Amino acid sequence: MTAAPRRLRKAVLPVAGLGTRVLPGTKTTPKELLNVVDRPILSYIVEEAREAGIEHIVFVTGRAKQAIEDYFDHQIELEAQLEAKGKTDILQMMNAELAEAGEMSFTRQMQPKGLGHAVWCARDIVGHEPFAVILPDVIVDSQPGALKQLADVYAEVGGNVIGVEQVPETETHKYGIIDPDGDASGARIRMKGMVEKPPRGEAPSTLSISGRYILQPEIFEILATQERGAGGEIQLTDGMARLMRDQTFTAVKYDGVTHDCGDKIGLLRANVALALKRPDLGDAARAAIRDLL
Ligand code: G1P
């Protein structure tokens, strides 16, 4: 009998990136704290993690990212003022996303050496247990959340599970791309390889790695010696390709709409799409957009 997969409790959020695609807005504000409608991108991401059962979040940060730590802590003066003004709705909303004591850890990447290196920086805090990685550039609008969909598959099949989505053939060079083993038409796909940012015309499929992963801790030993790959960076995809020699990987085409919030138009689109869906704002948003068009 095979043992049940070990419980997933921790998630790593690499938040050291500079946000160059949305400068100058990110000069003093971490890109992960840019607002989508009325709360930061990171608020959606942490909500997604908690929905998937994550109990501990490890942020891999860099310089000028202290505001992230503050966001999940009390802001005593502001809270007192809201209380005094009877603004209990917003106060409750703010309190709901505060971190429980000890639920969040912060470690620094110090040098931008790539996603594989960022994940490796979390090795001691994660320890020897499976963990999720969520790239906070990407908000996935889905029900249930994308990581929960992956976690459900993981609970059944164990091993390593990564989220994928279809991208146009002309875009494959921008992503990690998987090499499916046989039929790739279903929601769960067996894999025989993956490659980070393949040159145009050389991608093994049009299924991109979209920023949601559940990984086994053996990845850390591999990342420790991972050589630089695409873009001169230590790539998580290259580490996963090596881990795949010893462990299973399942790709999951989750249900949902992806918004790349690290990009100007992607961020705008996320704002519009999520405002339109809000029961309290949808009508007003629709009217405002019509007016502009
Ligand atoms: C990273 C990953 C890549 C993935 C992408 C998704 O690339 O390395 O495999 O497809 O995120 O957004 P980046 O966008 O950081 O270059």
Side-chain angles (χ1 to χ4, degrees):
M1 208 175 81
T2 28
R6 276 180 300 168
R7 199 158 73 87
L8 178 67
R9 301 187 311 132
K10 295 183 180 173
V12 174
L13 270 55
V15 292
L18 297 176
T20 44
R21 290 183 293 162
V22 280
L23 274 169
T26 45
K27 191 174 164 188
T28 50
T29 304
K31 64 175 170 175
E32 300 80 10
L33 292 185
L34 294 177
N35 255 19
V36 171
V37 190
D38 53 4
R39 58 194 179 111
I41 296 166
L42 213 43
S43 162
Y44 295 85
I45 302 291
V46 168
E47 183 178 69
E48 181 186 334
R50 287 175 172 154
E51 185 199 357
I54 297 299
E55 296 165 4
H56 191 120
I57 295 179
V58 185
F59 290 92
V60 181
T61 72
R63 282 181 289 282
K65 298 281 182 165
Q66 289 91 334
I68 292 176
E69 201 163 337
D70 292 338
Y71 183 79
F72 292 100
D73 195 357
H74 287 285
Q75 234 277 36
I76 305 288
E77 271 180 37
L78 177 62
E79 288 170 17
Q81 281 180 23
L82 291 172
E83 184 89 59
K85 290 187 173 153
K87 305 212 171 198
T88 42
D89 287 3
I90 180 76
L91 196 55
Q92 268 170 15
M93 212 173 112
M94 283 167 53
N95 283 338
E97 60 177 7
L98 289 181
E100 296 285 332
E103 182 202 8
M104 288 182 175
S105 300
F106 296 81
T107 186
R108 296 273 281 245
Q109 187 180 15
M110 295 167 81
Q111 281 177 305
K113 289 185 176 177
L115 179 59
H117 178 257
V119 169
W120 179 74
C121 290
R123 67 200 178 280
D124 279 348
I125 307 176
V126 170
H128 201 75
E129 59 180 281
F131 65 101
V133 177
I134 311 181
L135 303 191
D137 271 0
V138 179
I139 291 181
V140 184
D141 181 17
S142 68
Q143 203 53 258
L147 189 64
K148 170 81 172 100
Q149 295 183 41
L150 262 64
D152 288 345
V153 174
Y154 170 74
E156 268 182 58
V157 303
N160 301 268
V161 177
I162 59 177
V164 295
E165 63 169 11
Q166 286 286 359
V167 290
E169 214 169 327
T170 49
E171 302 280 293
T172 49
H173 64 285
K174 296 182 182 165
Y175 298 95
I177 301 290
I178 67 155
D179 191 359
D181 186 8
D183 182 22
S185 60
R188 281 186 206 180
I189 301 159
R190 285 189 16 204
M191 295 170 53
K192 60 175 179 335
M194 62 187 111
V195 49
E196 181 67 18
K197 303 198 175 76
R200 285 170 202 269
E202 288 178 29
S205 75
T206 49
L207 288 167
S208 76
I209 300 171
S210 62
R212 300 293 183 271
Y213 315 73
I214 295 173
L215 299 172
Q216 296 298 325
E218 287 75 21
I219 191 76
F220 291 126
E221 292 148 39
I222 290 175
L223 290 173
T225 61
Q226 186 58 52
E227 286 176 5
R228 289 171 190 265
E233 297 189 339
I234 297 172
Q235 296 290 354
L236 180 59
T237 305
D238 295 342
M240 293 193 298
R242 280 167 68 199
L243 183 59
M244 211 160 83
R245 295 176 198 157
D246 302 322
Q247 296 189 5
T248 62
F249 272 77
T250 307
V252 175
K253 255 190 258 165
Y254 52 77
D255 247 349
V257 179
T258 301
H259 298 292
D260 178 6
C261 298
D263 170 81
K264 289 184 186 51
I265 297 299
L267 185 60
L268 176 67
R269 193 167 164 272
N271 270 284
V272 173
L274 296 180
L276 286 172
K277 285 185 75 174
R278 282 269 295 262
D280 57 335
L281 296 173
D283 288 345
R286 204 162 290 111
I289 292 162
R290 258 197 227 111
D291 193 32
L292 284 171
L293 293 173

